Amino acid sequence: MIVTHTFACKLPSSLADSLNRESGRIYTAVMVEHWRILRHTGHWLSPGAARKLQDRYDEGSKLLHSHSIDAAQQAFYKACKTIRQLRKMGDPQARYPRRRRSYRTTIWKNTGISKQGTSLRLALARGIGPVLVALPAHLAHLAGEAFKEARLVYDRKSKRYNWHVVVEDGREPPDRSDWSNVAAIDLGEIHPAVASDTTQAVVFSCRELRATIQYRNKRLAELSSRQAHCQKKSRQWWQLQRRKNRVSQMSERKQRDLCHKVSRAVVAWAIERQVARLVIGDVRDIADGKRLPKQSQQKISQWPHGLLRRYLTYKARDAGIDVVLREERYTSQSCPRCRHCTKPRGRVYTCPQCHFVGHRDVVGAGNLLSLELTGELGSIYAKDVRFRHPYKVSRLRPGSPAGIGHVA
């Protein structure tokens, strides 16, 4: 399987800045020339023609490997291709790239990568020695042919460089052809995920994820209030800005960590139940065009459902489980007993017609599974409902009594 591994970059900041500055210069030169020709002649250059034209006009980089130059030139046309696809899908806000880039991620293709002992050897321009990258222990044993791409990525919030290394580890997803179970995942803002098959439902409770977002909002509001009383770009203003960046960076890292824990727990449950196909509720457009109260709109807009869905997808496929997205409209409002539609309040679903009572998110996951298996709502509700923490709570809260939490 192809996997991207991220680890810290220990290059001198001057060298890392020079590499990404040169990539930004090449990308900007291609973009400026493309729009200049289109403006004067009406001709849209192809990626190959633009690359040849740029190679003719530009003497070439004195720092980057030739294939790293190609990657920087191709980046503009890859962005144009993405915008074109978004426009076909009906996104009216998609705009072609026109912004000049002083810095851009430097990319090494597999032709510029070789292995030297436990380090990666990344080639630079002719006459310049290569960049040696010390590999982490879990990558040091791989052969040189396994490394397909390396990227030097700058994290703006933490103000540090990271290596993103794309590796073909040779593993194949296990064969799950003898498994026939199907499960549904209802993503939620309070409970990140609720998994259900026909007999059992598990509510993966991770209040820490929501609390992390709330704490970040509170701290940023406090710092912004103090910053508003400072002269813009003064010493104190920059101190507060750095503090805001640090709070945002810590919050993002914690969100990613918790989403990894939740997704790993869900996939572990799916393997335990021998699930061959996971159905995930599609909530990608849940915040589009909404005009909710201020606090509700903030919760919906900051809900990291996209991050959790991506983690669930790649972890499930790594385990040999198929993943599909399905529209989840009215799944949390339809009674699984009489199919009456009513909007629930709070976490408990109560049907006013047949007086059915159940967990709101379990009802949503059951109806999502019902849509997948029968094509209609209101056929499935798992009676065996369990709650699970994707981490050991007592480890995060040292003062909590022993035995609280569950290790998935």
Side-chain angles (χ1 to χ4, degrees):
M1 293 188 65
I2 296 179
V3 184
T4 300
H5 296 271
T6 304
F7 53 93
C9 172
K10 298 182 180 179
L11 289 179
S13 58
S14 57
L15 175 59
D17 287 341
S18 299
L19 292 169
N20 280 6
R21 189 184 301 117
E22 184 65 12
S23 295
R25 184 192 68 80
I26 295 169
Y27 169 86
T28 300
V30 171
M31 181 192 67
V32 169
E33 190 65 21
H34 173 87
W35 292 123
R36 186 188 70 82
I37 290 178
L38 181 65
R39 185 170 61 252
H40 288 286
T41 68
H43 181 67
W44 183 282
L45 285 178
S46 67
R51 187 169 63 252
K52 290 180 181 178
L53 188 64
Q54 184 64 23
D55 290 342
R56 180 180 297 178
Y57 288 168
D58 198 344
E59 295 181 357
S61 173
K62 297 180 180 179
L63 181 60
L64 297 181
H65 186 264
S66 59
H67 290 176
S68 296
I69 297 174
D70 292 344
Q73 294 172 341
Q74 294 163 4
F76 170 73
Y77 288 97
K78 287 183 178 179
C80 290
K81 183 178 179 181
T82 301
I83 297 300
R84 200 175 298 119
Q85 291 174 347
L86 289 174
R87 287 189 171 185
K88 286 182 180 179
M89 294 170 62
D91 186 356
Q93 297 181 347
R95 297 288 184 271
Y96 285 104
R98 293 179 179 270
R99 183 181 175 185
R100 296 170 182 255
R101 301 285 182 179
S102 300
Y103 295 87
R104 187 171 178 82
T105 297
T106 302
I107 299 175
W108 283 267
K109 300 183 179 182
N110 59 344
T111 50
I113 301 174
S114 58
K115 196 176 178 196
Q116 183 175 323
T118 59
S119 300
L120 272 189
R121 187 176 181 275
L122 306 180
L124 295 179
R126 185 175 298 176
I128 301 179
V131 174
L132 293 179
V133 181
L135 291 171
H138 63 282
L139 297 178
H141 69 282
L142 296 176
E145 295 77 14
F147 297 93
K148 302 301 180 184
E149 190 174 273
R151 310 187 194 106
L152 180 58
V153 181
Y154 182 71
D155 185 351
R156 286 190 173 186
K157 291 189 175 177
S158 61
K159 293 189 176 180
R160 69 179 69 176
Y161 282 96
N162 293 317
W163 289 111
H164 291 197
V165 178
V166 182
V167 174
E168 173 62 68
D169 56 12
R171 293 185 300 109
E172 293 294 333
D175 183 17
R176 307 297 191 189
S177 57
D178 55 334
W179 290 5
S180 58
N181 200 6
V182 181
I185 308 294
D186 181 77
L187 303 180
E189 193 266 333
I190 295 179
H191 298 302
V194 176
S196 175
D197 58 12
T198 55
T199 59
Q200 186 184 101
V202 177
V203 179
F204 293 91
S205 180
C206 186
R207 297 293 185 115
E208 196 76 20
L209 180 58
R210 194 184 189 200
T212 299
I213 299 172
Q214 292 173 343
Y215 174 76
R216 180 196 62 193
N217 293 340
K218 183 178 179 180
R219 288 290 296 140
L220 291 181
E222 293 174 356
L223 294 171
S224 296
S225 177
R226 292 172 57 185
Q227 197 178 37
H229 293 85
C230 302
Q231 184 178 356
K232 191 171 183 180
K233 296 188 178 181
S234 63
R235 181 179 296 179
Q236 189 176 6
W237 188 93
W238 278 116
Q239 287 177 351
L240 292 170
Q241 185 63 39
R242 285 192 290 270
R243 197 175 300 177
K244 287 171 65 176
N245 292 341
R246 190 159 57 247
V247 169
S248 298
Q249 169 211 345
M250 292 174 62
S251 174
E252 285 188 9
R253 286 206 303 262
K254 195 167 185 179
Q255 281 187 65
R256 289 199 299 268
D257 179 63
L258 291 171
C259 285
H260 272 299
K261 286 180 169 67
V262 173
S263 58
R264 184 166 60 243
V266 172
V267 173
W269 174 85
I271 294 174
E272 175 190 331
R273 302 290 294 178
Q274 296 190 349
V275 173
R277 186 166 77 254
L278 272 181
V279 183
I280 301 177
D282 189 359
V283 292
R284 289 177 294 180
D285 58 349
I286 192 169
D288 293 352
K290 296 290 184 181
R291 292 297 180 268
L292 300 173
K294 185 177 180 180
Q295 289 186 347
S296 299
Q297 187 71 42
Q298 184 185 47
K299 290 178 184 178
I300 294 298
S301 63
Q302 295 181 346
W303 174 21
H305 56 82
L307 187 66
L308 183 57
R309 185 181 63 251
R310 289 198 298 272
Y311 290 170
L312 277 170
T313 300
Y314 90 78
K315 284 181 171 64
R317 289 177 177 166
D318 189 22
I321 301 172
D322 293 332
V323 177
V324 295
L325 290 178
R326 179 169 281 277
E327 175 64 43
E328 63 164 16
R329 189 172 299 173
Y330 302 116
T331 53
S332 295
Q333 302 180 21
S334 299
C335 177
R337 182 183 295 170
C338 67
R339 300 182 183 178
H340 176 74
C341 188
T342 182
K343 191 170 184 178
R345 293 184 180 276
R347 295 293 92 203
V348 178
Y349 178 91
T350 303
C351 178
Q353 193 153 323
C354 69
H355 306 292
F356 169 84
V357 177
H359 193 285
R360 172 180 178 169
D361 296 333
V362 175
V363 170
N367 280 324
L368 199 61
L369 183 60
S370 177
L371 273 177
E372 178 69 16
L373 296 180
T374 67
E376 58 184 13
L377 297 168
S379 300
I380 296 172
Y381 180 82
K383 295 182 179 180
D384 182 11
V385 179
R386 305 183 181 187
F387 287 77
R388 183 177 297 183
H389 287 289
Y391 52 84
K392 193 171 181 61
V393 179
S394 57
R395 290 181 182 174
L396 294 182
R397 301 169 187 168
S400 60
I404 295 180
H406 178 88
V407 180

